[in-house]
Amino acid sequence: MPAVAQAAPNFTPGADGVGDPYFPLEGNGGYDVKHYDLSFSYDPATDRLDGRNRIRAKAKQNLSRFDLDLQQLTVDSVDVDGRKARYRRDGQELVITPKKGIRDGSKFTVVVRYGGVPETIVGSPVVFGSPYGFIHTDDGSFEGDEPNAASTWIPMNDHPSDKATWTFHVTVPAGLEVIANGRLVDRKETAKKSTWVWDEPYPMANYLATAGIGKWVFKNGTTPGGIKNVTGVDPTLLEGNPDPNPVDFFFDTTSEATDLWDQTFGTYPFDSTGAIADNATFNGQSIGFSLETQTRPLYSAVRSTSTIAHELAHQWFGDNVSVATWQHIWLNEGFATFAQYLWDEHTGVRTAHEDLIRDYNRFPDSFWQLHIGDPGRDTMFDNAVYRRGGMTLQALRETIGDPAFFRILRAWNVEHRYGNATTQQFIELSERISGQDLDQFFQNWLFTSGKPALPGT
């Protein structure tokens, strides 16, 4: 019989967003990034960044073209599998058309060369009105990118649903240093510059990437439980001989909290922990926020052990298990706030039940109007998402009891390890492990305006 002719594959463009209801153009469809190999140089004297991002990905459809996210910076060239590719800019979209279509299931490599002065995001209601993203400091940079600022300095698939492993090669002028995610694997110095190579071999949501540039006092060691701890502290924080010593404060608190959460939430999901404590300012004002960048949270103007405990709890709730879309943000912030309740118990400040009652009684009626299970884009970091979220978990704990509750938290981190999840999945897991119908409980605490009843009332 004659051979049957095979139909030519139909190649179509990847979507220009992943369909996040809060950030429709964040992320891109049609492929899955496996690894970012990012190389860049940065000079604080000019604020200029020049970079090359080598992206390994796998096609999820027959791709005629695909997008990356990149805000503001100038693209010099794009290669796909070693061949020059056409590209154009469309807002934050970098639209790339390779020489030939990419077949579904095939692996491909994209190299983007780019540069410019990254712009800090200011005036956005999303992040408390605080400047965020790539922040130019007096001697380097501070990158706190949640939820949508990583693409201000890196071309990428910028949505937490597409996690990848990372390698950072960062070149800076002599006298400056770099601290980033994962582990330091190489450092080379010349008379005029140095290059630092950090590697994060565990899947990471893009907004958690950071590469702090400046002068650092490093402390390296392990937690009492044996987890590698690399902490870097801005030396200006040591001026005036503060007590406690900031290096010891961040290192020791990080060790204590990491080990406590390892025992409480399940095995620490990464191979190093630590802190980046930067006395960073923007336009002369202290930045004043912290962020759970993977393995090594960022801290600015922070002297609170509770804040450190909060950001390290995110290594389980937000970093290991990340939101599928941003409407589920309470799964990050409510869980880390509940961890602060546990930290208060651990340090003898208050019991978690006392924290629940304290929060339950201290907020006005307006606080209780937000539906934290879907809080809305501009209020996704509202205080209610944090505090009502923490209360929800303590109320759940008191409803179903400690054995079932802590089994749920540990199972959550195992079943969605290095992945993404939704509120509905947490509800289903809670019902499966507790054996209780909890639909009304979660409806009252997450999706209903007004004060829900406390357990037992």
Side-chain angles (χ1 to χ4, degrees):
M1 295 179 61
V4 178
Q6 296 291 319
N10 181 33
F11 291 91
T12 56
D16 61 1
V18 297
D20 190 296
Y22 291 1
F23 300 95
L25 291 180
E26 292 298 309
N28 301 281
Y31 63 93
D32 175 32
V33 176
K34 300 301 182 182
H35 185 73
Y36 292 102
D37 192 339
L38 175 66
S39 300
F40 72 90
S41 61
Y42 179 71
D43 186 350
T46 62
D47 288 337
R48 182 175 177 86
L49 181 153
D50 288 288
R52 184 203 71 172
N53 199 10
R54 186 174 186 271
I55 303 167
R56 290 194 284 108
K58 183 177 181 180
K60 296 166 64 177
Q61 67 181 68
N62 289 328
L63 283 170
S64 60
R65 70 170 190 259
F66 59 92
D67 289 12
L68 295 173
D69 298 300
L70 180 64
Q71 303 180 52
Q72 307 151 351
L73 300 177
T74 299
V75 176
D76 299 317
S77 67
V78 178
D79 295 350
V80 177
D81 288 335
R83 304 177 70 183
K84 294 293 183 185
R86 299 199 315 273
Y87 64 90
R88 60 182 174 85
R89 305 297 294 272
D90 183 9
Q92 75 174 56
E93 301 296 311
L94 174 60
V95 184
I96 299 169
T97 303
K99 289 283 189 182
K100 62 179 182 178
I102 302 170
R103 287 182 177 268
D104 185 14
S106 64
K107 297 177 182 178
F108 63 101
T109 300
V110 186
V111 177
V112 180
R113 292 175 174 83
Y114 67 103
V117 176
E119 289 185 31
T120 304
I121 296 178
V122 296
S124 168
V126 176
V127 186
F128 315 118
S130 171
Y132 69 106
F134 193 101
I135 297 174
H136 304 270
T137 63
D138 56 348
D139 64 352
S141 67
F142 177 99
E143 299 96 9
D145 296 326
E146 187 180 20
N148 63 333
S151 59
T152 62
W153 58 290
I154 312 170
M156 57 166 56
N157 195 23
D158 193 11
H159 192 269
S161 60
D162 190 5
K163 294 185 173 184
T165 58
W166 284 75
T167 304
F168 302 84
H169 309 255
V170 186
T171 301
V172 293
L176 297 183
E177 300 162 308
V178 181
I179 182 168
N181 312 94
R183 292 201 182 204
L184 180 64
V185 296
D186 195 17
R187 176 183 174 183
K188 297 177 181 178
E189 294 187 70
T190 66
K192 294 185 177 180
K193 62 185 179 181
S194 64
T195 298
W196 300 64
V197 183
W198 291 82
D199 186 70
E200 174 50 286
Y202 296 92
M204 180 167 68
N206 293 329
Y207 77 92
L208 301 170
T210 196
I213 297 169
K215 296 179 181 178
W216 305 106
V217 178
F218 285 99
K219 185 170 182 177
N220 295 272
T222 59
T223 72
I227 299 167
K228 185 174 179 61
N229 182 345
V230 179
T231 291
V233 175
D234 184 335
T236 64
L237 294 174
L238 280 70
E239 294 174 357
N241 299 313
D243 184 21
N245 177 286
V247 177
D248 293 336
F249 170 78
F250 283 102
F251 184 92
D252 294 345
T253 308
T254 294
S255 292
E256 184 179 357
T258 301
D259 282 351
L260 178 63
W261 301 149
D262 178 81
Q263 296 159 14
T264 305
F265 305 138
T267 303
Y268 183 64
F270 312 115
D271 65 4
S272 68
T273 187
I276 303 173
D278 194 349
N279 192 24
T281 60
F282 181 79
N283 290 339
Q285 299 295 315
S286 176
I287 294 170
F289 73 82
S290 301
L291 182 66
E292 67 275 12
T293 46
Q294 189 160 303
T295 69
R296 200 147 292 115
L298 292 171
Y299 304 101
S300 178
V302 169
R303 301 296 179 274
S304 163
T305 65
S306 183
T307 297
I308 294 172
H310 176 108
E311 301 305 341
L312 287 167
H314 275 308
Q315 303 304 306
W316 285 260
F317 304 103
D319 297 14
N320 178 34
V321 185
S322 302
V323 294
T325 55
W326 284 111
Q327 74 208 70
H328 305 289
I329 185 62
W330 89 278
L331 293 173
N332 290 10
E333 301 304 346
F335 282 56
T337 301
F338 168 72
Q340 290 177 278
Y341 288 4
L342 297 181
W343 183 257
D344 283 348
E345 280 193 338
H346 171 72
T347 57
V349 173
R350 281 178 297 274
T351 68
H353 174 74
E354 289 169 341
D355 272 336
L356 167 61
I357 299 303
R358 179 173 178 264
D359 276 352
Y360 187 81
N361 290 327
R362 72 189 178 104
F363 292 112
D365 289 344
S366 58
F367 168 92
W368 296 98
Q369 302 312 303
L370 190 70
H371 298 180
I372 66 168
D374 189 357
R377 179 184 185 273
D378 289 349
T379 48
M380 61 186 286
F381 295 111
D382 188 272
N383 191 37
V385 175
Y386 292 69
R387 307 312 300 187
R388 187 169 179 171
M391 284 186 269
T392 298
L393 290 162
Q394 179 62 24
L396 176 63
R397 178 188 181 186
E398 296 183 15
T399 298
I400 65 176
D402 277 12
F405 177 76
F406 286 104
R407 279 180 57 207
I408 290 166
L409 297 191
R410 288 188 286 268
W412 182 248
N413 276 283
V414 171
E415 294 187 12
H416 300 286
R417 193 170 182 82
Y418 308 129
N420 303 81
T422 67
T423 298
Q424 185 58 39
Q425 287 173 309
F426 183 74
I427 294 171
E428 292 170 357
L429 176 66
S430 298
E431 292 184 327
R432 170 160 55 87
I433 289 180
S434 71
Q436 297 185 31
D437 181 348
L438 297 168
D439 285 351
Q440 193 59 53
F441 171 89
F442 283 107
Q443 182 65 34
N444 293 342
W445 279 92
L446 300 179
F447 299 106
T448 302
S449 298
K451 225 183 216 189
L454 287 169
T457 61

